[in-house]
Amino acid sequence: MTESNQPAQQPEQPHSVPPTAGHSDSGAREQGPQPPEPGQPDPLQGGSGQAGAHGAPSGEPAGLGSVPASFTSTQPQVPSPDAGQAQLGGSGPGQQLPPPTGSGQLPPGHPLGLGNTTAQFSTEPPSGQPPSTGQYYLPPGYQPPPAPPRPKGRGKVVAGVAALVLVVGGLSGGLGGYLGYTFANDSSSVSSLDTPRPASQASNAAPGSVEEVAAKMLPSVVQIQVVTRTGAGEGSGFVISSNGQIVTNNHVIEGAAAGGTIKVVFQDGKTADAKILGRDPSSDIAVIQAQDVSGLPVVQLGNSGDMKIGQSVVAIGSPFELSGTVTSGIVSSVNRPVSAGGDARNSQATVLNAIQTDAAINPGNSGGPLVNMQGQVVGINSAIYSPNSANGQAGSVGIGFAIPIDQARRTVDEIVKTGKPKQTVLGVKVESTEQGAKISEITPGGAAEKAGLKAGDVITKFGDRRIDESDTLVAAVRSKAPGDKITITLSDNRTVEATLDGVEVG
């Protein structure tokens, strides 16, 4: 059937049957007349044994195309389904006649039907003979003779039993079909809607999982909103005291230092105004104080010196104002020299000795914690590498940097206690060479001069750390505290020992 539920039109055949030659039959088969006498040509069958061969005599019916034409000398045979006939369900209309007698040839002008089209004949059955089953249909207007009367008695009983058997069989078949249909639907059809809802999962996270770290850290991580006369910004921070002391990056709150407002948003949605306790632009660290708060959950500080490349870490913050965002990754590198806060000036005064991570860090993550899998803060997210930042807002490409907590902890402690942090210095100005960091200028009375260093000396090692450029030396010095003693190796293999100085910032 086609889309319109109309029978598909058959292409016109070279010898098609006239419309009046037959009627539709959804289930009947056709068969031609009996074969001719021996020695006579067969007008309906070609040499290949298929009806419709070329060379039919003039005036004879057209061939049957590819429909097999098989005959017997006694009684017409029903073609099998595999003999080229399509067999459909249902019974054909009309009654049938026995095959015509005689030579078995049809009078001229009696075309046979094709496929499911029945042929009509003008030849009537012999007088007085009842029609019998066969492959010939009754001609129009034919009236069969009345059937002889059935015998009484036993015939009725047999008929009654047969009817009862048919009724019982029909009921059994209907019931069996219904049960089979129901069983098939019930056994083969599966629906997700029929399955029970799973039990609620336990709230206890696996030890050392990102879920456990997030559950532990989120209550102590805050969003920081800054409004100034020139605009607004936002970043992240984490609580280090129950009375509201919060660590963040200097570049997050720097705009409010010259006049502006700072608001802190906690994980539970509560807010509080805040003020700056102290800040260090050179290390990009600041501490703010939330007002009128108490009993806050605080973070646990870890040891950044124990961090190994490949170790798992979690970054938490408010990227693009999406507070409480948790991302995970690994430590990609350590002791990576970068400019604090992505300083576009690339000044040595802001170079950090950073932890590199591939945990996603985006604008708004700045000031948030980088955490190990024990839930301890090991760094402060500060900068990202974003090659497309010049054409639009920067975004994570899997290269982020965090200030090591060992370095930040000393600065934070100085801010909380005095409000004025100290920056560790060697007392030199340096520039990069192929061998390392070349001293271009010595600060009078500084640590370098006291150690015997001179302008033109090239530093190749700072303690155990190899120095390949000037920023590497600056980052190495910043990782130490004022008063630390360090062995310095020069390009001529000389070594000197220097005691590092500290200068107040701000």
Side-chain angles (χ1 to χ4, degrees):
M1 301 298 289
T2 63
E3 291 290 339
S4 61
N5 293 327
Q6 296 297 327
Q9 302 218 347
Q10 301 291 336
E12 183 175 354
Q13 303 292 335
H15 301 284
S16 61
V17 179
T20 58
H23 55 277
S24 176
D25 180 5
S26 62
R29 296 193 184 104
E30 297 178 314
Q31 184 158 336
Q34 295 179 356
E37 295 295 332
Q40 295 296 325
D42 186 350
L44 298 181
Q45 185 170 349
S48 64
Q50 298 293 322
H54 297 290
S58 176
E60 294 297 335
L64 297 180
S66 61
V67 181
S70 301
F71 301 96
T72 64
S73 59
T74 57
Q75 186 176 353
Q77 309 236 346
V78 179
S80 61
D82 59 352
Q85 294 285 355
Q87 187 175 12
L88 304 178
S91 59
Q95 296 178 337
Q96 299 177 337
L97 287 175
T101 58
S103 64
Q105 297 190 12
L106 297 176
H110 287 280
L112 297 178
L114 295 177
N116 290 326
T117 304
T118 58
Q120 294 182 349
F121 301 89
S122 60
T123 304
E124 296 185 1
S127 176
Q129 291 187 3
S132 61
T133 58
Q135 301 305 314
Y136 297 89
Y137 290 86
L138 292 173
Y142 174 79
Q143 296 293 331
R150 296 183 178 180
K152 297 181 179 181
R154 179 178 175 83
K156 293 183 178 181
V157 174
V158 173
V161 171
L164 179 61
V165 170
L166 290 176
V167 171
V168 173
L171 291 176
S172 300
L175 179 60
Y178 172 77
L179 292 177
Y181 174 81
T182 304
F183 176 76
N185 282 343
D186 291 342
S187 61
S188 62
S189 178
V190 178
S191 173
S192 298
L193 299 176
D194 296 333
T195 59
R197 181 178 299 178
S200 299
Q201 296 182 354
S203 59
N204 296 330
S209 65
V210 175
E211 181 183 356
E212 182 192 39
V213 173
K216 179 179 180 179
M217 293 297 302
L218 281 172
S220 302
V221 180
V222 301
Q223 181 184 31
I224 299 175
Q225 300 173 348
V226 178
V227 178
T228 67
R229 289 173 295 181
T230 58
E234 57 91 29
S236 306
F238 53 92
V239 179
I240 60 170
S241 70
S242 59
N243 64 348
Q245 293 175 352
I246 298 170
V247 175
T248 186
N249 283 142
N250 173 71
H251 73 266
V252 171
I253 52 86
E254 188 174 20
T261 62
I262 303 174
K263 179 178 289 187
V264 175
V265 182
F266 296 95
Q267 181 67 20
D268 59 5
K270 296 180 180 179
T271 62
D273 293 331
K275 65 178 183 179
I276 298 174
L277 285 182
R279 63 193 185 94
D280 180 7
S282 63
S283 61
D284 198 25
I285 295 174
V287 180
I288 62 176
Q289 175 70 60
Q291 304 294 307
D292 303 321
V293 296
S294 62
L296 299 177
V298 301
V299 301
Q300 180 183 2
L301 302 180
N303 186 352
S304 58
D306 293 338
M307 300 302 294
K308 301 294 189 297
I309 296 175
Q311 184 173 341
S312 296
V313 288
V314 174
I316 305 176
S318 304
F320 300 107
E321 301 184 10
L322 302 173
S323 61
T325 296
V326 177
T327 57
S328 64
I330 62 170
V331 174
S332 303
S333 184
V334 295
N335 299 325
R336 185 75 77 184
V338 295
S339 297
D343 189 355
R345 298 169 297 176
N346 197 27
S347 170
Q348 288 183 346
T350 61
V351 172
L352 301 175
N353 189 52
I355 299 171
Q356 180 182 333
T357 178
D358 67 349
I361 299 176
N362 288 286
N365 271 116
S366 293
L370 185 70
V371 189
N372 62 21
M373 303 314 291
Q374 287 72 46
Q376 301 167 341
V377 178
V378 295
I380 304 173
N381 301 321
S382 177
I384 60 175
Y385 172 72
S386 185
N388 297 325
S389 59
N391 300 326
Q393 187 159 20
S396 174
V397 292
I399 303 177
F401 304 98
I403 304 168
I405 198 61
D406 291 352
Q407 177 181 337
R409 184 170 189 161
R410 176 183 56 81
T411 303
V412 169
D413 186 59
E414 291 173 348
I415 290 174
V416 170
K417 290 179 179 178
T418 67
K420 293 184 178 181
K422 288 183 178 182
Q423 183 184 73
T424 306
V425 295
L426 179 60
V428 297
K429 288 185 178 179
V430 293
E431 58 186 27
S432 296
T433 65
E434 293 182 358
Q435 294 177 302
K438 181 181 179 181
I439 298 175
S440 59
E441 185 178 332
I442 296 287
T443 303
E449 186 182 56
K450 292 178 181 178
L453 295 174
K454 299 177 181 180
D457 288 339
V458 177
I459 299 175
T460 58
K461 289 185 71 175
F462 185 82
D464 294 331
R465 182 170 178 179
R466 185 175 69 89
I467 304 301
D468 56 356
E469 62 175 358
S470 59
D471 281 357
T472 304
L473 176 62
V474 174
V477 171
R478 294 279 171 78
S479 66
K480 302 299 181 178
D484 288 349
K485 293 182 178 182
I486 195 75
T487 300
I488 299 175
T489 304
L490 304 177
S491 59
D492 58 3
N493 293 325
R494 287 187 300 126
T495 61
V496 298
E497 188 174 85
T499 301
L500 302 178
D501 291 335
V503 295
E504 287 188 356
V505 180

